[in-house]
Amino acid sequence: MSVNHGANLYDLSSKYGFSKEEFMDFSSNINPFGTSKLAKEYIINNIDIVSMYPDPNYIELKKSIASYCKCLENNIILGSGATELISSFIKTIKPKKALLLSPAYSEYEKELSKINCNITKYFSRYENNFKIDVSELIENISENRYDLVIICNPNNPTGFTFTSKEIEKILRSTSSFVMVDETYVEFTDTKIYSSTSLVDNYNNLFVIRGTSKFFSTPGLRLGYGLIGNEKVKDSINSQLDLWNINIIASSMGQIMFTDKEFINHCTDVILRERDFLTEELNQLKDLHVYESNGNFILCKIQSEKITARTLREKLIPNKIIIRDCSSFDGLDEYFFRVCILKPEENRLLLNALKEIFI
């Protein structure tokens, strides 16, 4: 695991003498409530399906995703995690000029660099609380005529989010491909912020999602992309292996996307805890806390007495891990990010931070 993608619990466990399970990992933006109980029970009770090949067309899985995302089944591409689909899409359209909204997930730039794409970074600024004016962004896109615009929505690590209406406004203003990574959108109000239903009407939109974060299944490697552009869709599908989604992932996916009780419970608790944690962190005068629509909160240490790296090291003996964000472009050594965990863990984090900052 790259250090830029968060904590390596294996290394930390060895170094500090704690088991991996003892750590409260606020650096990992994965649903703390685990995955769907219904999906797990199905696999436990039907484990013999491992002796079967998956449906090569994944008909039932695509039905579940289409209903969940409110888009056409035919516009769904399945991948082994969201990262595979990011790579496949970029390799397929081969952009010569790309605009990358930054700070951002490092894999976008990595994949663009592989094809020698000319990358322009459009930075959101901490002076503006990392908010981006959509009209100014559209003006930039229109002037420079990029082949591809990449938007992480909600943005990781800032938490800023465009509404679906704003994304549609961008799509209407340009012929550039727009890739919207919605890895974290399920942790907020999808009716306002998700663009999945737009793929049926806009040929230049590619929406990426995965099950690693909200459904807490990084081990399944189940991702999906939504696109209405037939040429691009057929090209990506032609590159993917037959049965690229294993039968455990396919079967669990069918159930997870329809488990409304699980989905509603997780969303309600995480949003409530995010609001609580934001309010409490704002009480610490040494921190500037940024508004977030993700399941994480970005903070900046106001005092130069301590850096994010030092803060992280001070918290580890308490079995608490936070994310030092200095590896993100545009963020200095005073930025850190905390994810939303279970209520009791969030309160332990606050108590530990208060001991340091008060």
Side-chain angles (χ1 to χ4, degrees):
M1 184 187 298
S2 167
V3 68
N4 289 337
H5 291 187
N8 187 328
L9 294 183
Y10 296 91
D11 285 350
L12 291 173
S13 176
S14 174
K15 182 176 179 180
Y16 290 93
F18 302 136
S19 70
K20 296 187 295 296
E21 292 73 24
E22 286 182 90
F23 281 111
M24 290 173 279
D25 189 3
F26 288 89
S27 73
S28 178
N29 33 29
I30 293 175
N31 189 337
F33 296 104
T35 193
S36 160
K37 184 179 178 182
L38 292 179
K40 287 190 290 186
E41 287 179 347
Y42 177 84
I43 297 303
I44 291 168
N45 295 327
N46 295 274
I47 194 62
D48 287 342
I49 61 173
V50 296
S51 298
M52 300 168 57
Y53 281 104
D55 170 12
N57 297 312
Y58 299 100
I59 291 172
E60 294 303 319
L61 176 58
K62 288 183 177 180
K63 280 183 181 177
S64 291
I65 294 173
S67 175
Y68 182 60
C69 293
K70 297 177 176 55
C71 69
L72 297 173
E73 292 173 39
N74 191 48
N75 289 337
I76 297 168
I77 301 171
L78 301 173
S80 179
T83 303
E84 180 187 41
L85 293 168
I86 293 169
S87 177
S88 296
F89 180 68
I90 289 172
K91 286 177 184 175
T92 297
I93 67 168
K94 297 182 178 65
K96 292 180 180 178
K97 288 175 60 180
L99 184 68
L100 176 56
L101 271 62
S102 298
Y105 180 46
S106 61
E107 291 300 322
Y108 309 136
E109 185 174 359
K110 181 179 175 183
E111 292 300 326
L112 291 169
S113 297
K114 286 180 182 178
I115 60 166
N116 298 314
C117 179
N118 184 354
I119 304 168
T120 299
K121 294 181 180 179
Y122 189 98
F123 281 97
S124 59
R125 303 290 179 182
Y126 68 85
E127 304 96 312
N128 300 324
N129 288 319
F130 295 106
K131 294 181 179 180
I132 296 175
D133 184 288
V134 71
S135 297
E136 291 179 7
L137 175 62
I138 288 171
E139 186 178 343
N140 183 291
I141 295 169
S142 299
E143 286 178 0
N144 293 282
R145 297 185 179 182
Y146 302 102
D147 301 307
L148 173 63
V149 178
I150 298 179
I151 300 170
C152 183
N153 206 50
N155 175 267
N156 175 27
T158 69
F160 171 77
T161 315
F162 289 111
T163 66
S164 60
K165 289 182 179 179
E166 288 174 321
I167 294 293
E168 187 168 21
K169 190 175 179 181
I170 294 169
L171 292 168
R172 283 177 174 168
S173 70
T174 182
S175 59
S176 304
F177 277 110
V178 179
M179 184 176 85
V180 180
D181 185 347
E182 290 194 348
T183 296
Y184 306 102
V185 79
E186 292 146 301
F187 291 106
T188 193
D189 189 340
T190 54
K191 292 186 181 72
I192 298 173
Y193 297 106
S194 177
S195 302
T196 53
S197 62
L198 297 177
V199 298
D200 296 341
N201 300 314
Y202 292 90
N203 266 351
N204 58 331
L205 173 64
F206 183 53
V207 177
I208 292 176
R209 281 198 185 177
T211 61
S212 294
K213 305 301 184 182
F214 184 77
F215 288 102
S216 190
T217 58
L220 283 185
R221 309 312 309 141
L222 174 59
Y224 54 103
L226 310 175
I227 187 167
N229 188 304
E230 291 291 335
K231 184 178 178 181
V232 174
K233 181 171 52 182
D234 291 345
S235 181
I236 294 175
N237 278 325
S238 70
Q239 300 172 42
L240 299 175
D241 294 333
L242 182 66
W243 298 307
N244 64 324
I245 307 299
N246 70 66
I247 199 163
I248 300 290
S250 177
S251 300
M252 286 190 71
Q254 288 172 217
I255 299 167
M256 289 189 300
F257 295 122
T258 60
D259 189 350
K260 292 183 179 179
E261 184 177 344
F262 168 82
I263 292 166
N264 292 336
H265 169 74
C266 292
T267 304
D268 290 346
V269 176
I270 289 171
L271 292 188
R272 187 166 63 246
E273 283 298 303
R274 185 184 68 201
D275 291 344
F276 166 77
L277 203 50
T278 300
E279 185 177 340
E280 290 296 312
L281 289 169
N282 268 314
Q283 302 304 312
L284 301 176
K285 61 182 178 60
D286 285 329
L287 296 184
H288 183 91
V289 183
Y290 296 92
E291 180 184 347
S292 174
N293 284 309
N295 64 320
F296 47 83
I297 302 167
L298 182 68
C299 304
K300 184 178 184 182
I301 302 169
Q302 306 273 47
S303 167
E304 294 184 358
K305 295 178 183 177
I306 184 172
T307 64
R309 181 178 180 179
T310 303
L311 177 62
R312 181 180 183 274
E313 290 172 353
K314 283 179 173 288
L315 290 170
I316 288 177
N318 294 330
K319 304 174 185 176
I320 292 171
I321 307 169
I322 63 170
R323 176 70 147 87
D324 169 7
C325 289
S326 58
S327 62
F328 284 96
D329 276 353
L331 302 185
D332 63 26
E333 67 269 31
Y334 297 102
F335 283 92
F336 69 93
R337 187 193 69 194
V338 294
C339 297
I340 314 303
L341 297 188
K342 294 177 180 178
E344 60 272 21
E345 294 169 321
N346 296 331
R347 283 146 185 80
L348 288 171
L349 169 69
L350 287 169
N351 290 337
L353 288 173
K354 286 175 183 176
E355 288 184 10
I356 295 170
F357 288 111
I358 293 180

